[in-house]
Structure formats: C-alpha cells, structure tokens
Amino acid sequence: MKKYTTFILVGLILVLAAALIGVLTFMKNQPPQQRAVQPLVEIAAMEPDSARWGINFPNQWTSFQKTATNNIDTTYGGSSQFSWLERDPRQKILFAGYAFSKDYNDDRGHMNALTDVRKTKRLVLTHDDLTKTTHATCYSCKSSDNPGLWAKLGMEAYDKMLFDEMTPQINNSIGCSNCHEAGTMKLIVTNPALKEALEAQGKDWTTFTRQEMRTVVCANCHVEYYFKGDGKYLTFPWAKGTDLDSIIAYYEESGFKDWVYPDTGTPMLKAQHPEYETFTAGSTHYNAGVSCADCHMPYVSDGAAKYSSHDVHSPLLNAEQACGQCHTDVDYVVGRVNEIQDQVHTTKQNTEDAIVDAINAIKAAAANPGADAKLLDQARNLHRKAQFMWDFVSAENSTGFHNPEYALKILAESTNLARQAQMLAAQSVGDMSLLATGTYYENGDAAPVATPTP
Ligand code: HEC
Ligand code: HEC
Ligand code: HEC
Ligand code: HEC
C-alpha cells in the first residue's frame, strides 16, 4: 500500500512539474498582450475614443499618436502629402475627366485619415444632383467611429447616406476599434465589406491564425474596392479571387466603370490601394509567412516592456527594427529595396507613355466618323485593361516592393496591351500616323505638351 502511495506521489509530482514547464514555455512564447495585464479602465465594445484605450495601453497609444505628425519622405514614399500630379504630370492625362486628375496626394499616417478625406478636392458635395454627390462610403476606412455605426445602422444604410449627412457622426480618425476587439484585444475584421468578400471565397476569418490576422487586419482598408450600385455599397471585387486576373475578370463580368474617359469614350476603372492583394499574390515574404505587421509594426522595447510599434509608416525609416529582426545585413536589403523601386518606377513611366500614346490614337480615331467601330471598341477595351493594370501597380503604395516580380510582370503586360490598343485605333481609321510615340512630349521633355482635358 505504502509503495503505491509513493508511486502515485512521485507520478503526481512529475505530472505537475511537466505541466508547470508547459505553462511557463507557453507563457514565454506568447505575444505581449497575452501576459496578464490588469486593465485600468473598462473599454466599451467598439469604443471610438482611442485615448480611452490608451489609458490601459499607454505604449501603443503613444506610438500610435506619432502617426499624426510624421512627415519624413523616402525616395518614393514616406509621410508627407506630396502631389502625384506634380511629381508625374502624365497622371493628369491618365485620370483626365476624373477627380483624381484634380487632387491626388501621397498617403500619410493613420491619425490624419479623417482630416485628409475631408479636405480632398475629390469630394463632390452637392445635394442638387444626388447621383454626383459623394456618399458616406468614403468614410469607411477613415474613422474609429465606423464599427459602432455599422453595428447600429448596418452598412447598407450607412453607405446610402451622403458624405456630409454622415459628418456629424464621425468624430475620430482611425483608431484602436478599427483593428481590435475591446476586452480581449484580439485582432478582428471590423469592415463588413471584408467579411463579405472573404465569405464570397468561402473563407471564415474567425478561423484564421494570429499570424494571418497580422496581415488580414490591414485588409480592412488596404485593398482594391468599388462602390456597388446606386446605394454605393462598399464591395471588394474578390468573388473570383484576390489576384489581378481574378479582379479584372470580376469587373469584366460586372461591366462596372468608375468614369468615361473624355474623347476616347473608354469606360474606365480606377484602382485603389491593393497592398493586400499584391502582397498575398505569392510574394517571397508572404510565402515565407511574413505579415504586414512584421515590417510595419515591429516589436520595440521601452525598458522592460516589449510592444508592437503602432507608429505605422515606411519601414525604410526604421529598417534596423523593421527588417533587422530577420535580416542580418540590413544595408543590403535596403539597397535591394532601392534597386527594385528604381526599376519599377522607370518601368511604370514607360507604361504610362504607352497608355498616353494609346489615348491619343483612340481620341483621333474616335473623332473620325469613318472609323471601324468594332476595332475602335477593341482598342477601348484594351485601354481600359491596360490602364487598370498600370494603376494596380501605381496606386499600390510600395512602388513594387511588396511583390517585385508581380509588379514588373503586370507593367510589362500593361505596356503590351496599351501598344495593341494604339495599333487597333490606327487600324480602325487606316492612319498609320497614329502609331507615333511620345506624342505628348517635346524634345524628350518630361512635361506634357498638350494640355490634358480637365
Ligand atoms: C517585408 C516587409 C514588408 C511587408 C511584409 C509589408 N510591407 Fe508595406 N512596405 C514595405 C516597404 C519597404 C515599403 C516602401 C516604403 C517606401 O517606399 O518608403 C512599404 C510601403 C508600404 C506603404 C506605403 C508607405 C509610404 O511610405 O507611403 C503601405 C501603405 C504599406 N506598405 C502597407 C502594407 C500592407 C497593408 C502590407 C500587408 C498586406 C505590407 N505593407 C506588407 C515593407 C513591407
Ligand atoms: C481603418 C482603415 C485602415 C486600417 C485597418 C489600416 N490602414 Fe493603413 N492607412 C489607412 C488610410 C486611410 C491611410 C492614409 C491616411 C492619410 O493619408 O491621411 C493609411 C496609411 C498607411 C500607411 C502610410 C503611412 C505614412 O506615414 O505614409 C501605412 C504604411 C499603412 N497605412 C500601413 C498599414 C498597415 C501595415 C496596416 C495593418 C496593420 C494598416 N495600415 C491598417 C487606413 C487603414
Ligand atoms: C491598424 C490596426 C491597428 C490599430 C489601429 C491599433 N492596433 Fe494594436 N495591434 C495591431 C497589431 C497588428 C498588433 C499585433 C498583434 C499580434 O501580434 O497579435 C497589435 C497589438 C496590440 C497590443 C498587444 C501588445 C503588442 O504591443 O503587441 C495592444 C495592447 C494594442 N495593440 C493596443 C492598441 C491600442 C491601445 C490602439 C489604439 C491606440 C491600437 N492597438 C490600435 C494593430 C492595430
Ligand atoms: C519576419 C521576417 C522578415 C522580415 C521582418 C523581413 N524579411 Fe525580408 N525576407 C524574409 C525571408 C524569410 C525571405 C526569403 C529568404 C529566402 O527565400 O532566401 C526574405 C527575403 C527578402 C529579400 C529578397 C532577397 C533578394 O535580394 O532576393 C529582400 C530584398 C528582403 N527580404 C528585404 C526586406 C526588407 C527591406 C525588410 C524590412 C522592410 C524585410 N525584408 C523584412 C524574412 C523577413
């Protein structure tokens, strides 16, 4: 009997010791937030006021607030609001007839999102012609008030409201409630359009791993989207997949257009900011299991506290932290970023030239009543596709870095389609002079000669 007791006791001690080691190892490997934190204040579900969350999480809040004042630029990105139209006047031609030809600035930090959307000249605020008035949908990615408003109104009613009708209910820029669930601090999908887009592909985000969520949480906003129907219902065109080919196939089937290009009659598409789609389309980093947060929100230390920097900006400004956790030779990888971006930037401008040439040829052909309508329509369709492909790379904010091979492949195909469009336009009127290249430029000058249609 005594022997058994000893046995049981020893067994018990071993089991307890193993359990203790297990628990300790588990705790050690947990991300910072899962260590016991005594909340100082209770945060209401979907609390829009980030300062209130900040009482419990001062490090995250302090670093987040820096996004309001960041203004350092990098070669192709950074945090000032430089104008793309001034930097690259071709874009005035490419977006002629559309609001992006009036005002198109580079992105900056999350705390500025609300100020910036309210002052963009792309807003059309007229109650005289409701088909032209900007809808509340434009607020979807700009405010921590949204999760609460979506819960209260439903996204359909939210999107039907006009922008300035919604304004009194929107008081905060992007904040904690856009990415976290109060209480658990889990990363969550807050944008109903993302939830629906994932569901359309048979995916349920609640089954995603923590590492997946460190990317998916950014897809609440950093994606391609459009406003569906008269109710301007926020929709991600992902039903066929999230890669560019699937997105183009989706838009071709739906026949959607953002605007009609003046004088060519092309039904155009504007790409938004497909960071998520580009990154996840088989990039080296995505395939290696790296997430957006790994580079844009690296762990930093404040004394004993280790936390994710919420000062989200270009990782080239803190490459030691952003890349150094995985790469020993930070100078080398930053050098590679520069090379990749230079190459993508140059290729992108060549593509722009090809599209501008196509536009000129189609304009001339469309003005000719004897043009072969079928060939001209084919030219328009190629112009539509070529420009959307170019824009998919151009509007993506990493100048190709998130997926260099993909970006270059898309630009090459876009140039090819644009040149085909130009040829078809020339053929449609039998006028080979329309095959001229560089028609907007004089003496190799980078500035356009002809004034683009306003
Ligand atoms: C391997 C590191 C890495 C990963 C992963 C990564 N990025 Fe980036 N990101 C960069 C670099 C480098 C740039 C280029 C910055 C520049 O040009 O100054 C960049 C640029 C950006 C920019 C523009 C920044 C600016 O200065 O204007 C945005 C927005 C962005 N990334 C969002 C994302 C999102 C969203 C994801 C995930 C879908 C992601 N990134 C994944 C490294 C990364
Ligand atoms: C609720 C929508 C939303 C979410 C979620 C979001 N972003 Fe943003 N992000 C924006 C908007 C809008 C801007 C541009 C703000 C402006 O220009 O005023 C922006 C800007 C940026 C910039 C440019 C900052 C700069 O200083 O140039 C980076 C980088 C970025 N986001 C990365 C990320 C990453 C990484 C994630 C996920 C961890 C993420 N964002 C999640 C909406 C969002
Ligand atoms: C754009 C999305 C986004 C916003 C906005 C955001 N966070 Fe986070 N937060 C993250 C990501 C991504 C992580 C990393 C989570 C992980 O690794 O599981 C994180 C982690 C955290 C953690 C866990 C500990 C750590 O540092 O890794 C806390 C606490 C936290 N955030 C608090 C806040 C607070 C407070 C705010 C508002 C002031 C806020 N977050 C705003 C994306 C966001
Ligand atoms: C979480 C880990 C991680 C982070 C953070 C990270 N990388 Fe990487 N990176 C990788 C992995 C893994 C590979 C693939 C290595 C391979 O396949 O040989 C890679 C590959 C690369 C390559 C390709 C090497 C080449 O020249 O062909 C470049 C360039 C690169 N990373 C740049 C960066 C930059 C710049 C940053 C910071 C903005 C960064 N990485 C951040 C893990 C990371």
Side-chain angles (χ1 to χ4, degrees):
M1 187 62 202
K2 189 148 180 259
K3 217 163 106 191
Y4 279 121
T5 318
T6 320
F7 244 140
I8 290 169
L9 267 179
V10 170
L12 212 63
I13 288 167
L14 282 177
V15 169
L16 282 176
L20 187 66
I21 291 170
V23 168
L24 287 176
T25 318
F26 177 77
M27 282 170 65
K28 183 170 170 281
N29 290 336
Q30 280 315 290
Q33 83 270 28
Q34 264 127 15
R35 290 195 195 133
V37 182
Q38 201 54 48
L40 298 169
V41 293
E42 185 85 24
I43 313 281
M46 297 174 270
E47 169 65 57
D49 182 4
S50 294
R52 186 143 173 92
W53 301 59
I55 299 172
N56 289 347
F57 307 107
N59 286 327
Q60 286 82 0
W61 173 225
T62 307
S63 59
F64 188 71
Q65 281 172 284
K66 292 189 186 152
T67 62
T69 48
N70 288 345
N71 61 2
I72 303 178
D73 274 341
T74 57
T75 312
Y76 297 107
S79 308
S80 90
Q81 278 187 298
F82 62 82
S83 160
W84 280 108
L85 302 174
E86 278 166 27
R87 238 186 220 203
D88 181 6
R90 295 170 183 83
Q91 299 203 20
K92 281 192 204 164
I93 303 168
L94 295 168
F95 295 124
Y98 197 49
F100 275 86
S101 65
K102 297 199 189 92
D103 187 14
Y104 191 3
N105 296 335
D106 192 49
D107 59 358
R108 54 176 185 156
H110 284 156
M111 286 283 278
N112 299 308
L114 190 55
T115 320
D116 292 348
V117 73
R118 282 185 175 156
K119 69 174 191 229
T120 174
K121 296 191 197 88
R122 294 201 299 273
L123 288 182
V124 184
L125 299 176
T126 155
H127 284 253
D128 302 339
D129 181 353
L130 296 189
T131 59
K132 292 217 172 75
T133 297
T134 306
H135 276 236
T137 322
C138 292
Y139 273 130
S140 303
C141 285
K142 311 293 190 284
S143 171
S144 58
D145 291 298
N146 288 330
L149 288 168
W150 284 321
K152 190 171 94 181
L153 306 168
M155 192 172 79
E156 197 178 342
Y158 178 113
D159 290 351
K160 275 191 183 140
M161 284 174 70
L162 303 181
F163 189 87
D164 50 358
E165 276 173 343
M166 185 59 91
T167 296
Q169 304 202 55
I170 305 262
N171 304 302
N172 300 279
S173 189
I174 295 171
C176 323
S177 71
N178 290 110
C179 299
H180 291 286
E181 179 179 69
T184 65
M185 292 310 285
K186 270 202 277 205
L187 294 178
I188 50 171
V189 166
T190 50
N191 187 340
L194 174 58
K195 181 173 171 279
E196 286 165 14
L198 290 168
E199 276 167 5
Q201 299 170 73
K203 291 182 182 161
D204 171 7
W205 71 268
T206 59
T207 63
F208 290 176
T209 63
R210 172 180 162 235
Q211 184 63 9
E212 282 175 289
M213 286 311 290
R214 286 164 56 86
T215 292
V216 171
V217 77
C218 312
N220 278 305
C221 304
H222 289 269
V223 292
E224 165 63 11
Y225 66 80
Y226 75 108
F227 297 173
K228 191 177 190 169
D230 293 339
K232 307 288 176 194
Y233 192 75
L234 181 63
T235 309
F236 301 177
W238 290 2
K240 294 174 186 292
T242 57
D243 61 298
L244 176 61
D245 286 345
S246 304
I247 290 174
I248 290 180
Y250 176 99
Y251 281 136
E252 286 309 285
E253 201 174 286
S254 76
F256 179 78
K257 60 172 186 294
D258 282 295
W259 89 104
V260 175
Y261 196 94
D263 303 332
T264 69
T266 313
M268 302 297 291
L269 295 167
K270 173 79 189 78
Q272 315 303 333
H273 21 63
E275 278 87 55
Y276 175 79
E277 294 89 337
T278 301
F279 178 63
T280 55
S283 71
T284 307
H285 281 111
Y286 181 68
N287 287 349
V290 180
S291 71
C292 312
D294 285 322
C295 292
H296 288 281
M297 301 182 67
Y299 287 124
V300 289
S301 301
D302 173 31
K306 184 175 112 177
Y307 63 96
S308 305
S309 170
H310 282 57
D311 181 10
V312 176
H313 52 60
S314 163
L316 299 181
L317 300 172
N318 60 337
E320 217 35 81
Q321 289 166 341
C323 324
Q325 40 173 322
C326 300
H327 294 284
T328 43
D329 194 344
V330 171
D331 287 345
Y332 167 75
V333 286
V334 169
R336 283 289 300 147
V337 177
N338 294 337
E339 285 162 25
I340 289 164
Q341 291 189 324
D342 285 347
Q343 195 185 357
V344 170
H345 175 74
T346 309
T347 311
K348 205 184 93 173
Q349 294 205 315
N350 294 339
T351 303
E352 290 167 14
D353 288 345
I355 301 173
V356 171
D357 288 338
I359 288 171
N360 285 338
I362 299 172
K363 265 189 193 173
N368 183 333
D372 180 323
K374 202 164 146 243
L375 289 179
L376 196 52
D377 259 350
Q378 283 172 14
R380 289 187 181 110
N381 190 259
L382 290 171
H383 169 208
R384 168 179 160 97
K385 266 193 204 155
Q387 186 158 332
F388 182 69
M389 293 170 88
W390 158 79
D391 206 6
F392 195 85
V393 176
S394 182
E396 206 278 342
N397 284 292
S398 71
T399 317
F401 174 72
H402 289 144
N403 198 340
E405 290 82 7
Y406 197 52
L408 289 169
K409 187 182 136 209
I410 293 170
L411 290 175
E413 184 57 13
S414 168
T415 309
N416 174 30
L417 296 186
R419 292 291 174 210
Q420 284 184 37
Q422 185 184 5
M423 276 188 246
L424 282 168
Q427 242 177 304
S428 76
V429 287
D431 179 356
M432 292 311 128
S433 77
L434 298 189
L435 293 180
T437 59
T439 39
Y440 267 93
Y441 306 98
E442 207 172 47
N443 310 324
D445 198 335
V449 174
T451 323
T453 320

